[in-house]
Amino acid sequence: MKIGILGGGQLAMMMVQMSAKHNIEFIVVDPSTNPPASKFAKCISSSFDDKISLDMLIESCDVVTIDFENVPSESLKYLEKNIEVYPGSYAVEICQDRLKEKQIFSKNNIPTTEYRVIDTESDLISAIEDLGKDTILKSRKLGYDGKNQITINNLTASDAWIQSGKNEAILEKKVDFKSELSIIGIRTKSGDTFYYPLVENFHQDGILNISVAPYEDNSLQKKAEEYHRKLSQELNYVGVLVIEFFLDHDNRLIANEMAPRVHNSGHWTNEGANISQFEAHIMAISDIKIQDIFANNNSGMLNILSKMPDNIDENSDEYKLYDYGKSERENRKLGHITLTSKNKKDLLSKISKLKDKIF
Ligand code: ADP
Ligand code: MG
């Protein structure tokens, strides 16, 4: 089996590392020099729409996947004519556009945030009159880690519109949430689904900072799985699909967005589950049977952003460090640390101590 991956970041790197036992060969395509996955797999250095590279994948691979949702959907469509691509271009196109995501949530009766479509400054003026100033202007495309989002507060519509670069956007009402949760689910080729327990996520400035799993609540777990099942079926999805939710004060799950790939909030599964999200994704797209998925511990994950701390013990028994080998840059994800404990209280205390020690 040979798998091509569009995108060679840390997600591709961990897909390769975590599925080593299946003897799969990987080829990664990435425009940057020495992306994280290039240490572990053959890497073609080119843009994602380079026809020669795409033809090489068609020639040599059985299936192609992505580590990044903003690959041109035209490239996926070109590949799809010749080989299997999971997730497919239809699913990825929806996940590339916040408006299409909201529409598919609503179509499937999944509660989502209140929003208005913004194409012009006058749309923004009336949307702010309608939804108020406790709102966020989010570009429809190319948003990640809180990028391309403007909080309205005291800004005038005109200033916000200029700051946004006048791109197609949505104006979204802020949710007064009590927590943020994500469901990481896998759908196989035969349409079976498997779920990790809900994860609780803590963000700082729009970027994931800490994840803790499991978030134990049977009825929310069932609800999140029901939403995921509807979406993944509608998208004819194969592989890992993640939905991010707000949990409001009435204990309702409100879908925020989804990711057609393995996700930062699932990094804990490397140590904390019987099969990691990375291996599970590769198994699903290669049609290797998954028996069961479960968490075997309480797990925490801390992201390392901007700068690699110099006081991390690489050989610690207490935690595990993942260094993506990337150069330092403000708000760039450089690595993460995972911790596990049989006891949640103990885990939270370990996370807090580690946070104080390292950051
Ligand atoms: P990204 O693609 O950058 O992850 P998100 O829409 O998930 O975009 O926003 C990043 C984070 O910003 C969220 O996880 C949340 O903490 C905060 N945020 C985004 N939208 C809202 C909202 N409508 N209400 C409250 N917080 C929000
Ligand atoms: Mg998000």
Side-chain angles (χ1 to χ4, degrees):
M1 173 66 83
K2 216 168 184 180
I3 297 181
I5 310 179
L6 296 178
Q10 63 269 20
L11 302 181
M13 177 183 89
M14 287 184 273
M15 284 191 243
V16 175
Q17 288 179 306
M18 299 302 149
S19 55
K21 74 166 186 248
H22 299 289
N23 285 321
I24 294 168
E25 224 181 296
F26 288 91
I27 305 183
V28 166
V29 176
D30 196 284
S32 61
T33 37
N34 303 323
S38 65
K39 284 194 203 73
F40 303 94
K42 186 175 159 196
C43 182
I44 304 172
S45 186
S46 85
S47 65
F48 298 121
D49 54 5
D50 182 273
K51 195 163 167 299
I52 298 172
S53 305
L54 298 177
D55 284 337
M56 275 170 79
L57 295 184
I58 292 168
E59 274 290 293
S60 56
C61 294
D62 303 290
V63 51
V64 170
T65 190
I66 55 173
D67 103 319
F68 157 74
E69 61 268 41
N70 289 314
V71 294
S73 65
E74 288 311 314
S75 299
L76 298 179
K77 286 179 185 157
Y78 180 74
L79 291 166
E80 260 163 5
K81 284 192 197 129
N82 299 281
I83 46 169
E84 293 177 40
V85 180
Y86 300 121
S89 60
Y90 173 63
V92 176
E93 267 182 4
I94 288 176
C95 298
Q96 286 176 343
D97 185 333
R98 284 188 197 279
L99 177 59
K100 289 184 182 166
E101 281 181 346
K102 301 276 177 216
Q103 289 168 337
I104 202 168
F105 292 150
S106 300
K107 184 175 165 203
N108 286 280
N109 294 318
I110 299 169
T112 187
T113 49
E114 228 188 308
Y115 70 94
R116 297 288 181 274
V117 182
I118 309 296
D119 289 323
T120 62
E121 185 180 331
S122 83
D123 290 342
L124 184 57
I125 292 169
S126 18
I128 293 176
E129 273 168 18
D130 229 11
L131 298 182
K133 293 202 141 205
D134 201 15
T135 44
I136 308 174
L137 181 63
K138 297 182 173 182
S139 73
R140 280 174 57 178
K141 296 193 174 153
L142 301 174
Y144 68 97
D145 290 346
K147 290 193 175 61
N148 296 324
Q149 296 192 13
I150 294 166
T151 303
I152 300 296
N153 284 347
N154 295 321
L155 287 178
T156 62
S158 163
D159 284 347
W161 185 239
I162 291 166
Q163 273 187 37
S164 75
K166 305 185 181 180
N167 292 315
E168 293 180 311
I170 58 170
L171 184 76
E172 188 177 274
K173 211 171 160 107
K174 268 203 185 160
V175 178
D176 178 22
F177 57 79
K178 68 175 187 190
S179 50
E180 291 192 76
L181 305 176
S182 55
I183 186 82
I184 302 166
I186 302 122
R187 188 168 184 271
T188 66
K189 281 191 182 183
S190 47
D192 295 326
T193 46
F194 296 90
Y195 293 97
Y196 293 96
L198 283 166
V199 190
E200 182 166 21
N201 301 311
F202 302 88
H203 293 80
Q204 218 165 33
D205 302 326
I207 309 178
L208 184 63
N209 185 21
I210 293 176
S211 292
V212 178
Y215 183 89
E216 281 177 301
D217 183 317
N218 278 340
S219 77
L220 290 179
Q221 180 78 32
K222 272 201 195 127
K223 202 72 197 158
E225 291 183 11
E226 176 199 320
Y227 293 159
H228 186 289
R229 211 168 277 120
K230 283 193 206 173
L231 286 172
S232 60
Q233 195 171 349
E234 161 125 15
L235 295 170
N236 203 9
Y237 202 92
V238 177
V240 168
L241 172 74
V242 177
I243 312 172
E244 296 177 13
F245 296 101
F246 299 118
L247 182 65
D248 74 6
H249 292 278
D250 299 323
N251 236 29
R252 277 189 344 138
L253 288 173
I254 300 171
N256 172 25
E257 59 167 355
M258 52 185 179
R261 53 169 169 77
V262 290
H263 194 255
N264 199 168
S265 69
H267 290 4
W268 63 272
T269 59
N270 285 351
E271 283 71 41
N274 65 323
I275 301 177
S276 73
Q277 61 162 351
F278 303 101
E279 183 181 355
H281 179 73
I282 294 302
M283 289 172 80
I285 68 169
S286 323
D287 217 9
I288 300 171
K289 192 163 174 51
I290 296 173
Q291 298 288 355
D292 200 4
I293 292 278
F294 53 88
N296 45 26
N297 231 326
N298 289 283
S299 300
M301 191 271 333
L302 290 83
N303 264 345
I304 299 172
L305 298 172
S306 311
K307 188 173 171 1
M308 202 38 107
D310 48 21
N311 54 353
I312 301 180
D313 175 3
E314 286 179 24
N315 303 308
S316 168
D317 297 331
E318 290 264 304
Y319 55 82
K320 184 164 164 67
L321 166 72
Y322 288 80
D323 181 344
Y324 310 150
K326 301 200 294 201
S327 57
E328 294 179 347
R329 195 171 66 210
E330 184 63 15
N331 285 339
R332 191 174 203 199
K333 289 175 177 167
L334 302 176
H336 71 269
I337 296 171
T338 50
L339 299 151
T340 53
S341 174
K342 287 284 167 221
N343 174 302
K344 182 154 182 187
K345 216 169 136 201
D346 174 58
L347 174 75
L348 296 178
S349 128
K350 276 182 171 173
I351 292 175
S352 148
K353 278 191 201 135
L354 189 66
K355 234 180 99 185
D356 291 346
K357 189 173 151 210
I358 294 180
F359 299 107

